[in-house]
Amino acid sequence: MDEPTNDAAGTTPGAVDAAAYDKLKKEKDEVYNQLLRTTADFQNSMRRAISETDAAVDRARGDVYRQIIPVIDHFDTALTANVTSDDGKQLFEGVRIVRDELLKVLKQSGVERVEPKKGDAFDPHSHEAMMRQPAEGVPTNHVTMTFSPGYTFKGRTLRPAKVAVAP
Amino acid sequence: MDEPTNDAAGTTPGAVDAAAYDKLKKEKDEVYNQLLRTTADFQNSMRRAISETDAAVDRARGDVYRQIIPVIDHFDTALTANVTSDDGKQLFEGVRIVRDELLKVLKQSGVERVEPKKGDAFDPHSHEAMMRQPAEGVPTNHVTMTFSPGYTFKGRTLRPAKVAVAP
């Protein structure tokens, strides 16, 4: 920063050059504008940081739920077993309860199981068409069969339901 | 902001009062210092926001894992069933695989199952003493029995293991 030159030509003692004053005034205005800009950047960045944290948290939760989907698939497979003995039936019932408990926990957290029924409209966001297959009474681009359920979390697809679609 | 009074007493044309100059200089310095402080606050806040996002993500993941622990408990209970029939044994083996798969997924994500063995030192961070129970050869404040396993995530206890401790 330049010091004012009180002994400059054309000034009296106790006075400074008007040009030096104007220069200082311009500098002060620049610093002030820089402060306004920095403060605005600060506020915007903090707002963004908060919404990014929320998004990162939802992504992290979604990632965990996605990891758990294959476990539910294993359950679903286990529950296709044909069990006739008494102890087998009892265990089967126990397994069904555990699977339902897991689905309940996920549902309470915002995870939805997507199980399209025959005749439902094909939804490209949450369904994946594995093949075209006609079925009586099912219009074009409607589901004729579901191979495996899909899952969404807060409207975001964790895994699409695998379906066959009427041609 | 005060405009300089060029026609103030004691100054010549083209010059301003030295007191007005000093006042402006002081104002500029104050604004400049405010800018330095705001910039430093900004940088600190952004650094903090990043580490808080990481912490929030870990908390969110930990919360999901904690929700899933009761499901593993149900599994563990189901796997205490006494099954003798062939189809029951087959289903039992399937359930064991699903449980192990779930534990594997959790372990890969940083969730550790805490299963203290008889004689392990009691760890107040990851164990919860349910009762005092003596056992031969187990020194004071060591585990004599584990009632249910505990779980940790990234060093944080999701649920302590429930144990009996030698008095």
Side-chain angles (χ1 to χ4, degrees):
Chain A
M1 269 174 270
D2 298 331
E3 283 301 315
T5 49
N6 277 13
D7 54 352
T11 63
T12 55
V16 292
D17 183 51
Y21 184 95
D22 288 346
K23 183 164 172 276
L24 180 63
K25 170 119 177 43
K26 213 177 135 204
E27 282 170 8
K28 183 200 149 184
D29 289 348
E30 274 167 14
V31 174
Y32 186 70
N33 286 331
Q34 179 64 40
L35 175 61
L36 291 183
R37 277 194 303 271
T38 302
T39 303
D41 280 355
F42 190 1
Q43 287 166 345
N44 287 334
S45 296
M46 291 314 290
R47 254 192 299 272
R48 209 162 44 233
I50 289 166
S51 79
E52 275 169 10
T53 297
D54 291 347
V57 163
D58 276 351
R59 265 199 311 278
R61 293 178 63 199
D63 288 345
V64 175
Y65 296 132
R66 191 181 288 110
Q67 286 180 310
I68 289 167
I69 293 174
V71 176
I72 309 174
D73 288 341
H74 288 310
F75 264 119
D76 291 345
T77 305
L79 290 172
T80 60
N82 192 10
V83 179
T84 53
S85 68
D86 278 351
D87 58 8
K89 277 181 182 168
Q90 210 175 333
L91 180 59
F92 187 92
E93 189 54 22
V95 173
R96 207 186 49 73
I97 290 170
V98 181
R99 197 264 315 258
D100 291 349
E101 181 68 21
L102 178 54
L103 287 178
K104 203 181 89 186
V105 165
L106 295 179
K107 198 181 172 71
Q108 281 167 351
S109 307
V111 177
E112 294 286 339
R113 185 163 157 124
V114 180
E115 287 183 287
K117 305 264 171 302
K118 186 178 167 182
D120 283 357
F122 176 73
D123 172 9
H125 288 296
S126 59
H127 302 165
E128 184 184 351
M130 305 307 287
M131 59 186 288
R132 303 212 152 257
Q133 192 184 46
E136 218 188 295
V138 177
T140 292
N141 269 328
H142 282 62
V143 172
T144 53
M145 200 182 156
T146 296
F147 301 112
S148 64
Y151 295 89
T152 62
F153 173 55
K154 292 195 170 184
R156 202 162 56 97
T157 296
L158 296 177
R159 187 181 76 180
K162 290 185 169 55
V163 298
V165 173
Chain B
M1 270 173 268
D2 297 334
E3 284 300 315
T5 49
N6 277 14
D7 52 353
T11 61
T12 54
V16 292
D17 182 51
Y21 184 94
D22 289 346
K23 184 165 172 273
L24 181 62
K25 170 119 177 44
K26 212 176 136 205
E27 282 170 6
K28 184 201 149 182
D29 290 349
E30 275 168 13
V31 174
Y32 186 70
N33 286 332
Q34 180 64 40
L35 175 61
L36 291 183
R37 277 195 301 273
T38 302
T39 304
D41 280 355
F42 190 2
Q43 287 166 345
N44 287 333
S45 295
M46 290 316 289
R47 253 193 300 272
R48 208 163 44 232
I50 289 166
S51 80
E52 275 170 10
T53 297
D54 291 348
V57 162
D58 276 352
R59 264 199 312 279
R61 293 177 64 198
D63 288 346
V64 175
Y65 296 133
R66 191 182 290 109
Q67 286 180 311
I68 290 167
I69 293 174
V71 176
I72 309 174
D73 288 342
H74 287 309
F75 266 121
D76 291 344
T77 305
L79 290 172
T80 59
N82 192 11
V83 178
T84 51
S85 67
D86 279 351
D87 59 8
K89 277 182 183 168
Q90 210 175 331
L91 180 58
F92 187 91
E93 189 54 23
V95 174
R96 207 187 49 72
I97 291 170
V98 181
R99 197 264 315 260
D100 291 349
E101 180 67 23
L102 179 54
L103 287 178
K104 203 180 88 189
V105 165
L106 295 180
K107 197 181 172 72
Q108 281 166 350
S109 306
V111 177
E112 294 287 339
R113 185 163 158 126
V114 180
E115 286 183 288
K117 304 264 171 299
K118 186 178 166 182
D120 283 358
F122 177 72
D123 172 10
H125 288 297
S126 60
H127 302 165
E128 184 183 351
M130 305 307 287
M131 59 186 288
R132 302 212 153 256
Q133 192 183 46
E136 219 188 295
V138 177
T140 293
N141 269 329
H142 282 61
V143 172
T144 51
M145 201 183 155
T146 296
F147 302 110
S148 63
Y151 295 89
T152 62
F153 173 56
K154 294 196 169 184
R156 202 162 57 95
T157 297
L158 295 177
R159 188 182 75 179
K162 290 185 169 55
V163 299
V165 172

